[in-house]
Amino acid sequence: MKLKTKKYLAGIVILIVLIIGVTLLMTFAMPKTGNLSGVTLPAAPADKPVQNINSDILYKEKDWTTNFTHDASIIKADGWYYAFSTDYMVGAPPKPGIQIRKSKDLIKWEFVGRVFEQVSQEAWEWTKGTTFWAPDVVKLNDKYYLYYSVSSVGKRNSYIGVAVSDNIEGPWKDEGAVFKSQEGDEHTVNAIDPDIVLDEHGQAWMVYGSYFGGIFITKVDSATGKLVDPNDEGTLVAQRKNMNYGIEGPEIIYNGDTGYYYLTVSYEWLEDTYNVRTARSKNITGPYVDYNGSEMIDTTDESFNTGNKLVGAYRFENSDGWLGTGHNALFEENGEYYLTHNARAGEDVYWSHLHVRKIVWTDDGWPVVSPERYAGEAEQEINEENIIGKWEQILLPRYDDSLQVSQNLQLKSNGEMGEDDKSRWALTGDNTLELTVYDPGRAPDDYWKYKLKVIPAWDWENWNGTLVFTGMDQEGTVLWGKKTVEKNK
């Protein structure tokens, strides 16, 4: 072999070695954009993707799972989580009686049955309503107390009653009215949507009401389940400018770690713009104040902007999205907090499902919720290499309650975002992601600054495990994100 040929072959070998070396370096030394190593992801919540609409199960109650769940509240009893909800279905008038579902894990739900067969004579005579709305169950003195409402649609002719049982699945004994309202009476409140909450001292309270007059809170006698003063509508804790601004579905929960009571309410219309807002107070009777210091009893033109928005109508890629994301409930177990709410399928807004979301807490003590439905995930330490890659992001503006559609987001290995070298990201702490987004002329000092919590989640739209983030900017506006995971082909 000639010397020139040997040199040529040697050069080719060296070039191949260099190519292999660079490839190995990029493979093992450089961060991977789809790397979720070290992250414990939740398992699939079902054997196959869940149908949001399935006409085959319309009249098969045993197959309803989360279908037709509306205004649900959750209580744990006898090792099960129970959801009690409004009479609702698609395609026919709902059968009255308060629907009951149960689950072992807050993920897979089975239909149990109903509390009653029909509205009581007293409730019907007062309201002429034929179905039950927005039940709530609490345990007092070793008995279960189920609160419910019956109402005339669009009027203050409303009735909150209570039933009692020794067992969570009944039988239930109706104990009659707790509070009633009627057009032209001396009260302001509309007697619907009761929620029973225990304060830090164990005193029971009922928070209730709607856009007819606002949201009120009043004391409950734990020995009877009725009001301490049957004629006292209580203290006003939230309202909006007028009847054109919807508000209803109140819930309150106390967090001993922060020392605050958190009030949640739903704004706007239940079939599309329904959304959940929150504010907090050191006292159960208020005043409740949001992130920006606005009180929830604001009746000015700014009342559309009060309350931190926790969840609103949204759509990620590969889905038709969810609307009517309101009428929530709050639930705590062993220091873990959850929010449940209605969600109307984007394909057909008359199909309502139960959504359960994990609540995570910001460093300054505000609740925010996961962009994805709960699938058993837990907060954990996240590494920088887990963050790098493609994401979808959804902003939930307080001033716009319409469907919010996801936008693409690129988080680069050099700490930059997208094509803008002035926007940066940084991972601080175990799972706090800070985004600094350059937006000259619009953002305070030209930069939006987001503090976000990163947690694992199940991607219900793409049916795989992933990472999500949730948190707020310096004005209390929530940003959601979901990492795009490239599947093996």
Side-chain angles (χ1 to χ4, degrees):
M1 184 180 293
K2 294 182 179 180
L3 180 60
K4 185 175 181 180
T5 302
K6 289 181 178 180
K7 290 182 177 179
Y8 176 73
L9 291 174
I12 292 176
V13 171
I14 292 171
L15 179 61
I16 292 172
V17 170
L18 286 172
I19 292 173
I20 294 173
V22 170
T23 302
L24 290 173
L25 178 66
M26 293 181 67
T27 301
F28 296 104
M30 298 296 288
K32 300 176 183 179
T33 59
N35 189 350
L36 294 178
S37 61
V39 178
T40 302
L41 297 170
D47 294 334
K48 58 183 180 180
V50 177
Q51 292 179 275
N52 298 335
I53 296 175
N54 181 7
S55 58
D56 292 338
I57 59 99
L58 270 174
Y59 302 102
K60 299 176 181 178
E61 292 179 349
K62 67 180 181 62
D63 296 326
W64 276 8
T65 64
T66 65
N67 289 278
F68 315 133
T69 312
H70 217 273
D71 313 330
S73 65
I74 291 180
I75 185 173
K76 190 172 186 181
D78 302 330
W80 290 85
Y81 302 97
Y82 283 85
F84 292 76
S85 60
T86 289
D87 302 333
Y88 184 83
M89 72 172 295
V90 172
K95 183 178 178 180
I98 304 176
Q99 299 175 11
I100 311 173
R101 291 166 176 79
K102 68 180 181 180
S103 170
K104 279 289 187 181
D105 55 11
L106 294 173
I107 304 166
K108 302 178 181 69
W109 292 88
E110 60 184 81
F111 190 83
V112 174
R114 292 176 174 80
V115 175
F116 300 118
E117 294 183 356
Q118 63 183 16
V119 170
S120 72
Q121 184 70 22
E122 180 185 34
W124 184 84
E125 288 178 353
W126 185 264
T127 67
K128 299 301 185 288
T130 58
T131 56
F132 295 93
W133 296 357
D136 184 67
V137 182
V138 65
K139 193 172 186 180
L140 301 171
N141 300 321
D142 295 325
K143 290 182 179 292
Y144 295 99
Y145 288 78
L146 184 151
Y147 295 79
Y148 61 85
S149 31
V150 180
S151 181
S152 297
V153 177
K155 295 181 180 180
R156 285 185 60 253
N157 300 333
S158 302
Y159 177 106
I160 292 175
V162 65
V164 181
S165 176
D166 292 324
N167 301 297
I168 191 65
E169 292 190 20
W172 295 87
K173 181 184 178 183
D174 195 333
E175 297 287 351
V178 174
F179 193 84
K180 299 186 289 185
S181 63
Q182 197 167 49
E183 297 286 346
D185 65 18
E186 71 274 21
H187 300 299
T188 303
V189 73
N190 185 27
I192 65 169
D193 296 355
D195 169 53
I196 306 301
V197 57
L198 301 182
D199 67 20
E200 58 187 308
H201 307 295
Q203 171 65 51
W205 299 76
M206 183 174 78
V207 59
Y208 68 116
S210 74
Y211 48 87
F212 284 96
I215 307 301
F216 288 75
I217 187 168
T218 187
K219 277 187 178 182
V220 171
D221 183 346
S222 297
T224 64
K226 302 291 185 77
L227 300 189
V228 170
D229 182 347
N231 297 312
D232 180 18
E233 67 182 359
T235 302
L236 179 69
V237 293
Q239 65 180 147
R240 302 186 72 192
K241 182 180 178 180
N242 55 42
M243 288 281 290
N244 294 320
Y245 292 74
I247 182 173
E248 57 189 18
E251 288 268 327
I252 293 176
I253 198 166
Y254 179 71
N255 185 330
D257 292 333
T258 67
Y260 280 99
Y261 294 93
Y262 294 85
L263 168 71
T264 54
V265 293
S266 291
Y267 282 5
E268 301 312 324
W269 178 239
L270 56 86
E271 287 178 1
D272 43 47
T273 53
Y274 226 19
N275 65 98
V276 179
R277 308 282 179 127
T278 190
R280 69 187 185 185
S281 174
K282 286 290 186 178
N283 301 302
I284 195 167
T285 55
Y288 285 89
V289 177
D290 69 12
Y291 183 90
N292 294 304
S294 298
E295 291 194 15
M296 293 299 284
I297 56 172
D298 184 8
T299 56
T300 70
D301 289 339
E302 294 297 311
S303 68
F304 72 92
N305 197 27
T306 52
N308 309 351
K309 184 185 288 188
L310 289 175
V311 59
Y314 70 95
R315 179 167 67 82
F316 282 115
E317 291 180 8
N318 298 327
S319 77
D320 291 300
W322 295 95
L323 298 98
T325 51
H327 202 116
N328 77 285
L330 299 168
F331 176 72
E332 181 270 336
E333 183 181 26
N334 299 325
E336 298 292 331
Y337 293 80
Y338 305 89
L339 179 142
T340 71
H341 62 87
N342 311 339
R344 303 292 187 104
E347 303 98 306
D348 184 341
V349 297
Y350 295 108
W351 284 74
S352 180
H353 286 261
L354 170 68
H355 280 197
V356 180
R357 296 179 190 270
K358 182 176 176 59
I359 293 176
V360 293
W361 297 87
T362 66
D363 294 340
D364 51 356
W366 286 102
V368 288
V369 301
S370 173
E372 290 288 351
R373 283 167 277 172
Y374 180 68
E377 65 270 13
E379 286 188 75
Q380 56 197 263
E381 183 177 356
I382 305 297
N383 298 316
E384 286 190 359
E385 62 186 23
N386 303 141
I387 300 297
I388 299 165
K390 297 178 181 178
W391 294 70
E392 295 179 61
Q393 62 176 347
I394 293 178
L395 191 71
L396 297 178
R398 298 183 308 280
Y399 53 84
D400 182 358
D401 295 327
S402 63
L403 180 76
Q404 303 300 310
V405 179
S406 66
Q407 305 294 322
N408 293 328
L409 173 67
Q410 180 80 33
L411 300 182
K412 298 181 178 180
S413 59
N414 63 359
E416 295 181 358
M417 298 167 53
E419 304 301 321
D420 178 9
D421 60 3
K422 291 185 178 181
S423 296
R424 311 285 299 183
W425 69 269
L427 188 65
T428 62
D430 288 341
N431 67 331
T432 300
L433 175 65
E434 297 186 6
L435 303 185
T436 305
V437 181
Y438 183 58
D439 191 4
R442 297 181 61 187
D445 298 324
D446 293 338
Y447 287 93
W448 295 113
K449 297 180 180 180
Y450 294 93
K451 286 192 174 182
L452 311 161
K453 293 296 182 180
V454 182
I455 60 174
W458 185 257
D459 185 335
W460 290 73
E461 290 77 24
N462 297 299
W463 209 246
N464 56 256
T466 189
L467 289 177
V468 297
F469 63 65
T470 179
M472 297 187 291
D473 66 14
Q474 66 267 51
E475 293 186 350
T477 298
V478 164
L479 182 69
W480 282 353
K482 176 175 69 173
K483 190 173 187 182
T484 302
V485 175
E486 296 181 6
K487 297 183 180 180
N488 295 327
K489 297 182 179 180

